[in-house]
Amino acid sequence: MEKRKVHYQQRLQILFVTVFLLFTLLIVRLGYVQILHGEQFEAQLASAQERPIQTDAPRGLMLDRYGNVVVDNEVEFSLTYMMPSTNTSSAVLLDVAQKLESFLEIDTSNVTERDKKDYLLLTMDEKERRQLLDSDKRNNELSNADVYQLELDAITEEQLEALSEKDMAVIAVYREMSQGTATAPQRIKRNVTEEEAHLIIEHLAELPGVDIQLDSRRSYPYGSSLRSIFGSVNFIPGEKVDGYIARGYQRNEIVGVSYLEAQYEDMLKGIKAVRTQSEAGKRQQHSGQRGNDLILSIDMELQQKLEKMIEDEMNNAGRHSFIEDRSAYAVILNPKSGDVLALAGFLDSGDGTNSADHLGVVNKGFEMGSSIKAASVLTGFHEGVAQPGTQFNDRTIYLPSTPPKSTWNKTGFGWIDDLYALEQSSNVYMFEIGMRLANCYYSAPHTPCGWTSETIAEAYQTVRNSFSQFGLGTDTGIDLPTYFNGMEGENTNGGKLLDLMIGQYDTYTTLQLAQYIATIANDGYRMKLTLVKEVREPTTNPEEPGAVIQQFEPAVLNRIEMSDEHLERVKAGLRRVVTHGNAAARFAEIPQYEVAGKTGTAQVKIAVGEERKTVIDGETQTFVGFAPYSDPEIAFAVVVPHAKLDRHGARQGMAQHIAREIVKAYFD
């Protein structure tokens, strides 16, 4: 018995010694970790618990060519949500959404049917969800995703219609919250009112992940002036999300979605502020930076004057001067650099409100009439079917299977040369050029002239290739993401070829028309049109612009193939239009500015009425020009579409009136 007791004591002593040694080793190891590697492991632990939180910086400004801010930023409150962790449950999101709904007004227009069904399933208990499907539809062969889809399909229209306005608001909030992440705040609502902000701030303790942050929105010191060309910003469109994410964007970011905002997104976007926050509350802030500023080619004072003069002309003309909509479009360029100095559009659709339609300058095409005849004459010169001084007999032409073709002066001008043809806007002179390009030589009424379908097709191609050198029917180079390049007529008969020569077949935009006349004014050099001259670093003082990051130098797209002699000859004809021709009376009061230009009236037929069965004859009035003739500083184009004819009491010369005011406004 005594021996057994001694044996147990020995075993206990061995156990105590072993435990002591183990604790000693553990303490030594902990000391080793703490003393030699403590900082390293502490940093690793901190990084595992820290989250980088990114917040957007304001976008860059836009300034006109003289430094006036035309697109600015304005502070606003935004309601944001950031998931507390990557495994935040749908139930937690829904709970927060239900609480938020009572504190703010929320737009529900984007809620989809799928959003509603997801919400209904989320708010059902397990018993209710099981009742949606028969037991035979739930089997082990179906995946969870398949079962969920069957449950969605089982939700009835009655259940959807039973959702209240409150439900819809909760769904709208939940929809935005669920698109967020654990690393970047998701905007739930922008432009939160002060009352809403105060209510939410008072209850932040009940709303994990919710915050009110200062945000910026675009503001426009000049109101609606050129507003559509500046473009707009918004959340990334759904169809473009993947592309933006590949470029490093977050799904919930605000980006430029149209026109200059979209074209220069990479320049205008700011550098995000990054806040690193640990669970222990430790924060590190890396401040962001506003995006780069754009210096535009636009002269905002001239822009506002252009808008005013167009509106005044439309008011003077009245609705009775137009078949339906009142509208007018104009562009002013620097022909030597391609800078767009001003562009404006006006539209009155008859509902009693007038609106700016600046986009119509770049995306609406019209038959431009005689204003393109300078290109027709130069095409004839270059192709050798006419030369400076060549005379054609201006009289009515009767070709087989073609309506009679004549000049606006039905009696004709008789034998005239190219200068007189431009001065008096002879149609027949241009017809003769077109016919000769197709190997047609008119000899007598209703007699075949020698052209064939092949020669006519070749003539179409020759004319369109020639016109494109001036910018008609082709890309102007304008720095916008979307624009219209006009439309070619589909028929290829001889009669339509003649219409093409006088601007009554293919359609062009006002911007293309301006580039065409600017190319002639610039001695045949077609300049790339541009709205942005420079990109500069952001600055807090617009009077002291930041350093230039990128400068867009004037770029020549092409030099037309016509000789200097031919160009000077046609320019002389354009000068005679204003001094002796059908524009002389309207420009007589400003001879000191040496305007050269060309009038145009394209005959149009407009279907009106609810069923569009009644057709009314009208015209599109145009005018192109440049000044001074000896050393052009500006080139311009004006288009007034779908006016009534003068015999119906319409105001005539509207495009010329606007053109004259453009010259006066620029030089005065």
Side-chain angles (χ1 to χ4, degrees):
M1 185 69 180
E2 187 69 27
K3 290 182 179 180
R4 184 179 298 177
K5 184 176 181 181
V6 171
H7 177 70
Y8 282 133
Q9 288 177 346
Q10 289 175 344
R11 291 178 65 182
L12 285 172
Q13 288 174 354
I14 293 171
L15 178 62
F16 286 140
V17 170
T18 302
V19 171
F20 175 77
L21 290 174
L22 288 174
F23 272 105
T24 302
L25 288 173
L26 179 61
I27 292 170
V28 170
R29 182 61 181 171
L30 287 174
Y32 171 80
V33 170
Q34 180 66 30
I35 295 170
L36 297 182
H37 298 282
E39 292 183 2
Q40 175 185 345
F41 288 118
E42 183 179 357
Q44 290 179 358
L45 178 63
S47 63
Q49 293 177 333
E50 287 175 347
R51 288 186 297 159
I53 303 170
Q54 298 182 342
T55 55
D56 291 344
R59 294 175 70 80
L61 309 182
M62 297 187 198
L63 302 90
D64 82 345
R65 66 190 299 115
Y66 297 115
N68 300 303
V69 177
V70 297
V71 180
D72 206 343
N73 293 313
E74 204 171 76
V75 175
E76 68 176 5
F77 288 122
S78 283
L79 170 65
T80 65
Y81 176 76
M82 188 168 66
M83 293 184 182
S85 67
T86 56
N87 58 355
T88 304
S89 68
S90 299
V92 170
L93 290 179
L94 182 60
D95 179 63
V96 175
Q98 289 170 333
K99 292 175 180 176
L100 274 177
E101 180 276 330
S102 61
F103 300 140
L104 75 162
E105 294 290 330
I106 192 76
D107 179 20
T108 61
S109 60
N110 291 327
V111 172
T112 65
E113 182 177 296
R114 174 59 185 264
D115 294 330
K116 299 175 188 177
K117 289 185 175 182
D118 286 334
Y119 171 76
L120 286 171
L121 290 182
L122 188 59
T123 54
M124 289 180 184
D125 58 32
E126 185 177 350
K127 180 179 179 181
E128 290 172 321
R129 289 184 63 166
R130 295 194 67 83
Q131 289 176 348
L132 289 173
L133 299 178
D134 296 335
S135 58
D136 58 340
K137 289 186 178 181
R138 296 181 185 271
N139 58 68
N140 295 331
E141 296 180 2
L142 293 177
S143 66
N144 291 337
D146 292 335
V147 172
Y148 189 80
Q149 185 59 54
L150 290 172
E151 290 176 340
L152 290 173
D153 295 339
I155 293 175
T156 66
E157 287 295 327
E158 290 76 12
Q159 289 173 297
L160 295 177
E161 292 173 0
L163 290 170
S164 66
E165 292 184 9
K166 180 181 177 67
D167 289 326
M168 293 294 290
V170 172
I171 295 171
V173 175
Y174 177 84
R175 166 194 168 93
E176 299 302 325
M177 291 174 60
S178 61
Q179 295 179 20
T181 67
T183 58
Q186 167 74 7
R187 290 181 181 84
I188 307 304
K189 180 181 178 181
R190 302 188 68 191
N191 197 23
V192 173
T193 66
E194 288 189 20
E195 181 181 356
E196 291 173 333
H198 291 157
L199 280 172
I200 293 169
I201 290 172
E202 289 175 5
H203 294 82
L204 281 181
E206 309 165 23
L207 303 167
V210 173
D211 199 2
I212 296 291
Q213 70 178 31
L214 287 178
D215 214 337
S216 65
R217 63 178 174 184
R218 286 309 214 184
S219 62
Y220 305 92
Y222 291 85
S224 63
S225 185
L226 214 58
R227 171 70 181 79
S228 54
I229 294 295
F230 297 147
S232 58
V233 295
N234 211 326
F235 295 107
I236 300 173
E239 69 276 8
K240 297 182 179 180
V241 166
D242 292 341
Y244 274 95
I245 290 177
R247 291 161 57 189
Y249 283 75
Q250 297 287 339
R251 183 180 297 272
N252 63 332
E253 284 194 57
I254 301 295
V255 299
V257 295
S258 64
Y259 295 94
L260 287 179
E261 293 278 14
Q263 182 74 15
Y264 290 95
E265 165 63 23
D266 291 342
M267 302 292 186
L268 290 167
K269 69 175 182 179
I271 299 175
K272 293 182 178 181
V274 180
R275 184 177 80 248
T276 305
Q277 180 173 332
S278 70
E279 291 182 4
K282 182 180 177 181
R283 294 186 179 186
Q284 289 184 339
Q285 181 77 29
H286 302 279
S287 59
Q289 179 178 295
R290 196 185 78 217
N292 297 316
D293 297 336
L294 302 184
I295 309 301
L296 307 185
S297 63
I298 296 293
D299 176 346
M300 211 60 192
E301 181 180 358
L302 183 62
Q303 172 68 31
Q304 290 187 301
K305 289 182 178 180
L306 178 60
E307 294 171 6
K308 181 67 164 55
M309 65 183 71
I310 291 177
E311 183 175 0
D312 288 346
E313 182 61 30
M314 293 296 94
N315 291 335
N316 290 335
R319 292 198 57 80
H320 67 275
S321 291
F322 293 84
I323 297 174
E324 281 193 314
D325 301 343
R326 284 190 302 166
S327 59
Y329 305 93
V331 185
I332 308 173
L333 306 176
N334 179 330
K336 297 175 182 178
S337 67
D339 286 355
V340 178
L341 302 179
L343 62 86
F346 174 98
L347 177 63
D348 173 10
S349 299
D351 58 1
T353 58
N354 304 332
S355 63
D357 186 23
H358 306 315
L359 294 180
V361 169
V362 298
N363 65 19
K364 289 185 177 179
F366 306 99
E367 295 174 5
M368 297 302 188
S370 299
S371 56
I372 61 93
K373 285 179 178 176
S376 298
V377 173
L378 282 167
T379 300
F381 287 171
H382 180 69
E383 297 299 324
V385 299
Q387 294 296 329
T390 296
Q391 292 191 344
F392 293 129
N393 185 10
D394 188 312
R395 76 291 191 204
T396 301
I397 295 175
Y398 301 91
L399 291 170
S401 305
T402 302
K405 298 288 186 180
S406 64
T407 293
W408 60 269
N409 175 6
K410 299 302 181 183
T411 60
F413 291 112
W415 288 92
I416 57 174
D417 66 5
D418 51 297
L419 293 179
Y420 193 83
L422 288 171
E423 173 192 312
Q424 295 298 324
S425 198
S426 166
N427 288 344
V428 174
Y429 199 95
M430 312 304 151
F431 295 156
E432 289 285 0
I433 291 174
M435 289 190 295
R436 281 163 168 71
L437 289 173
N439 198 36
C440 170
Y441 294 85
Y442 181 74
S443 58
H446 309 295
T447 302
C449 65
W451 58 15
T452 65
S453 58
E454 289 78 12
T455 62
I456 292 172
E458 291 173 1
Y460 270 107
Q461 194 63 46
T462 297
V463 173
R464 284 171 173 156
N465 287 345
S466 178
F467 283 12
S468 69
Q469 294 183 49
F470 299 88
L472 294 172
T474 193
D475 186 1
T476 64
I478 191 72
D479 46 342
L480 291 173
T482 57
Y483 44 80
F484 180 55
N485 277 336
M487 187 176 296
E488 294 181 357
E490 295 181 356
N491 293 330
T492 55
N493 59 48
K496 292 298 183 183
L497 172 64
L498 305 191
D499 293 339
L500 177 63
M501 299 301 297
I502 61 170
Q504 298 246 181
Y505 194 40
D506 289 358
T507 66
Y508 315 112
T509 66
T510 308
L511 193 68
Q512 290 175 328
L513 196 65
Q515 189 180 56
Y516 140 76
I517 196 63
T519 301
I520 294 175
N522 195 35
D523 298 327
Y525 290 93
R526 183 167 75 101
M527 306 303 295
K528 180 182 183 295
L529 301 189
T530 183
L531 285 161
V532 175
K533 294 171 62 65
E534 294 175 347
V535 180
R536 289 181 174 266
E537 291 182 349
T539 177
T540 56
N541 183 5
E543 296 181 0
E544 298 178 5
V548 175
I549 296 174
Q550 188 173 359
Q551 192 166 35
F552 300 100
E553 298 291 344
V556 177
L557 293 177
N558 62 274
R559 205 283 184 185
I560 61 175
E561 298 172 351
M562 293 73 182
S563 68
D564 291 342
E565 175 193 358
H566 292 164
L567 265 171
E568 291 303 317
R569 177 75 174 185
V570 167
K571 287 164 70 175
L574 297 177
R575 175 68 175 145
R576 286 177 55 165
V577 171
V578 176
T579 57
H580 297 85
N582 48 16
R586 291 189 176 88
F587 285 87
E589 65 181 79
I590 52 171
Q592 69 273 28
Y593 300 133
E594 298 182 4
V595 180
K598 185 70 190 77
T599 59
T601 51
Q603 305 306 308
V604 296
K605 294 181 180 294
I606 305 299
V608 298
E610 291 185 3
E611 298 183 358
R612 299 289 169 179
K613 292 184 177 180
T614 302
V615 176
I616 297 178
D617 290 334
E619 63 185 11
T620 293
Q621 300 179 17
T622 62
F623 190 90
V624 296
F626 57 89
Y629 170 72
S630 56
D631 186 17
E633 294 182 32
I634 58 168
F636 50 89
V638 183
V639 179
V640 182
H642 305 168
K644 289 182 180 177
L645 301 174
D646 56 355
R647 63 176 180 268
H648 297 147
R651 177 177 171 86
Q652 294 304 292
M654 290 182 281
Q656 293 184 46
H657 291 153
I658 295 171
R660 180 188 61 202
E661 295 307 306
I662 285 174
V663 175
K664 291 167 63 177
Y666 177 82
F667 288 105
D668 288 349

